Amino acid sequence: MKKSDIYRKIKNILQKMLSLEGPVLEKLMPETDLIASLNLTSIDAMQLLVLIERDFEIFIDDEDIGKELIQNIDTIANKIIQIKCFCHILCPYSL
């Protein structure tokens, strides 16, 4: 899985979770501030992390959960890659 595939999957999760459409979805780039641009609440953030863990089959340590992690799609993707690579001897993800 390439990083662009991870971006796409995260974007799909956000789309379904927040019922995003058209221009809002199109403007959602890897570096877009999710909290500010989507008005994410703390409940939204926790729901997003639960969906990320489920859909990517990972576990995010409580100490890693925070505003910095859900800042944008890129920070989430990097954490997913970090966790997946830690769990595999050879990392199949392209950074």
Side-chain angles (χ1 to χ4, degrees), residues 1-16:
M1 181 179 272
K2 297 180 182 175
K3 196 169 187 179
S4 59
D5 297 328
I6 295 171
Y7 287 158
R8 194 173 307 108
K9 193 169 180 178
I10 295 168
K11 212 170 167 177
N12 287 339
I13 291 169
L14 286 164
Q15 179 185 16
K16 290 175 186 173

Side-chain angles (χ1 to χ4, degrees), residues 6-35:
I6 295 171
Y7 287 158
R8 194 173 307 108
K9 193 169 180 178
I10 295 168
K11 212 170 167 177
N12 287 339
I13 291 169
L14 286 164
Q15 179 185 16
K16 290 175 186 173
M17 185 181 109
L18 301 171
S19 302
L20 301 178
E21 296 179 7
V24 174
L25 190 59
E26 290 171 15
K27 290 180 184 178
L28 198 57
M29 306 305 285
E31 64 281 350
T32 302
D33 185 330
L34 296 177
I35 296 168

Side-chain angles (χ1 to χ4, degrees), residues 67-80:
K67 186 176 178 179
E68 299 80 23
L69 176 59
I70 59 157
Q71 190 64 40
N72 57 49
I73 292 173
D74 192 54
T75 57
I76 298 168
N78 287 337
K79 178 51 78 176
I80 293 166

